[in-house]
Amino acid sequence: MSIKVLGTGFYVPQRVVTNDDLANMVETSDEWITQRVGVRERRVSTDETAADFAIGAAFEALEASGVSVEEIDLIIAASITSETICPTVAGAVQQKIGASCPAFDINSACSGFLFALDTAVSYIMRGNIRNALVIGAERLSKIVNWTDRNTCVIFGDGAGACVVAPGENYLSSVISTEGGDSVLKIPGYSGASPFYKGITEDPFIFMDGQETFKFAVSRIVRDIKYVAEKAGISLDEIDHVVTHQANIRIIEYASKRLKIPMEKFFVNIDKYGNTSAASVPIALAELDRSGRLKRGDNVVMSAFGGGLSSAACIIKW
Ligand code: UT7
């Protein structure tokens, strides 16, 4: 026994910020961003939080699944940009949708949604719960340095969610972490203790782009091969690949190395940029709505990022 996906949902803020908008703020161009990253525009919050996005995505996933709020036994949200450490994003969702189940957050940066999904699967397989709401939600615009062209052109805000229940469709998975902060780091608030003599840093995303790029390509390839082999299916039998939307060139490299045609990779980085933990569930929800998913299709999901972390799984739709 494992799980099946009953419904998906996503929510993005209204405000569109184009590459030309950013070219008015930092030294960059639509041409550079489109060619080197693949982003044309992203959504940016003007007054909503990661929890607000999560609530929007959760309502949509609940409606799509046909599961009532009373039937949700667990809520897990992946986020690195919760407005409050406590209550969590998952706690805010629990309150707003009117659920009474346990709710907690997971932080594994851009791989967070797949870590959260794997955690929900474990609870379901133990038989403790039936239906779980799994969410990835981010307001990355909060931790982006808007004067740093190396990072501000990449990221965006939003949330994606799905409702899962006992089933036989989670064929295999892998999660992994390689601790360290030299490649990707997001310092938190270090407090105002008069006793603390440690380092205080700017609370913005630091990323060594090229190192992250190499890590990303190697992990997508390694993880997808691993989960396919574990599930006993060949790479040819994969029908859809939903990866973290970090850079179109990463996806193209993965397609080439895995010899899986680009047509099987779902791409929406052009519209939303990199939304970290929200990226994979937003893409899954859009794929779900595209009409391209058929019952029985093998859907591979793969994510990588801060931690450094990576994760992948295969779901039979
Ligand atoms: O979600 C977490 C996971 N994140 C990722 O997977 C991100 C992985 N990394 C990347 O996607 C890419 O490394 C970036 C998009 C971050 C950067 O692209 P790149 O092709 O690796 O660029 P680069 O850092 O090697 O810079 C190339 C050139 C440099 O100029 P010079 O030194 O060659 O003259 C940069 O200064 O491009 C310049 N540059 C820019 N130019 C215009 C860097 N950022 C920009 C910019 N606009 N926004």
Side-chain angles (χ1 to χ4, degrees):
M1 196 257 284
S2 65
I3 58 123
K4 62 185 173 200
V5 177
L6 296 182
T8 61
F10 77 105
Y11 181 94
V12 289
Q14 288 289 309
R15 176 67 197 265
V16 174
V17 175
T18 65
N19 292 345
D20 285 337
D21 292 333
L22 292 178
N24 289 325
M25 295 164 60
V26 291
E27 206 183 321
T28 191
S29 65
D30 175 45
E31 193 191 4
W32 192 94
I33 305 169
T34 307
Q35 285 178 4
R36 301 302 298 170
V37 196
V39 184
R40 291 185 182 278
E41 59 187 39
R42 69 285 295 140
R43 300 300 181 94
V44 175
S45 174
T46 50
D47 57 359
E48 293 166 301
T49 66
D52 293 326
F53 305 150
I55 290 160
F59 274 124
E60 213 183 88
L62 278 172
E63 197 183 328
S65 69
V67 170
S68 70
V69 169
E70 295 73 33
E71 293 170 307
I72 294 292
D73 303 318
L74 178 68
I75 302 171
I76 309 178
S79 185
I80 51 170
T81 50
S82 180
E83 221 63 30
T84 50
I85 291 171
C86 163
T88 58
V89 168
V93 172
Q94 189 241 36
Q95 184 196 33
K96 194 73 181 185
I97 67 173
S100 54
C101 61
F104 59 88
D105 283 7
I106 276 185
N107 169 353
S108 193
C110 306
S111 312
F113 173 77
L114 294 185
F115 273 63
L117 183 61
D118 210 55
T119 306
V121 172
S122 304
Y123 277 98
I124 289 172
M125 285 175 75
R126 269 167 64 197
N128 300 36
I129 64 149
R130 272 194 75 76
N131 303 304
L133 178 57
V134 186
I135 305 164
E138 303 286 11
R139 183 167 82 87
L140 291 172
S141 54
K142 177 174 98 134
I143 53 168
V144 159
N145 177 351
W146 288 95
T147 63
D148 174 18
R149 71 174 184 173
N150 289 307
T151 48
C152 77
V153 303
I154 298 169
F155 297 102
D157 297 338
C162 65
V163 175
V164 295
E168 302 297 336
N169 302 27
Y170 195 72
L171 304 186
S172 62
S173 68
V174 62
I175 59 171
S176 70
T177 307
E178 207 174 88
D181 64 6
S182 59
V183 176
L184 218 166
K185 183 177 182 179
I186 306 163
Y189 173 57
S190 53
S193 164
F195 303 102
Y196 181 68
K197 302 292 176 234
I199 299 164
T200 300
E201 293 170 277
D202 287 337
F204 299 126
I205 299 175
F206 160 81
M207 184 173 73
D208 179 335
Q210 290 186 359
E211 284 305 313
T212 312
F213 196 103
K214 283 186 227 158
F215 174 81
V217 174
S218 75
R219 289 309 166 99
I220 292 193
V221 172
R222 184 196 75 171
D223 291 351
I224 291 181
K225 279 184 178 165
Y226 178 82
V227 290
E229 195 180 325
K230 211 168 146 198
I233 66 169
S234 71
L235 294 178
D236 291 341
E237 291 173 290
I238 293 172
D239 299 296
H240 305 277
V241 189
V242 178
T243 71
H244 175 37
Q245 307 284 307
N247 189 318
I248 188 66
R249 290 183 296 127
I250 293 175
I251 300 174
E252 286 165 355
Y253 267 109
S255 161
K256 206 180 275 176
R257 294 253 188 101
L258 289 163
K259 298 191 175 66
I260 298 176
M262 266 307 276
E263 301 82 74
K264 290 190 177 183
F265 283 75
F266 187 81
V267 175
N268 64 5
I269 187 174
D270 50 325
K271 293 190 291 183
Y272 306 126
N274 176 344
T275 56
S276 191
S279 161
V280 167
I282 292 175
L284 182 68
E286 285 206 324
L287 175 61
D288 192 13
R289 278 147 189 73
S290 71
R292 285 160 51 189
L293 268 178
K294 295 185 300 295
R295 190 161 293 280
D297 277 357
N298 292 316
V299 181
V300 173
M301 294 192 270
S302 167
F304 50 82
L308 295 171
S309 63
S310 76
C313 67
I314 299 191
I315 290 182
K316 193 164 274 297
W317 204 252

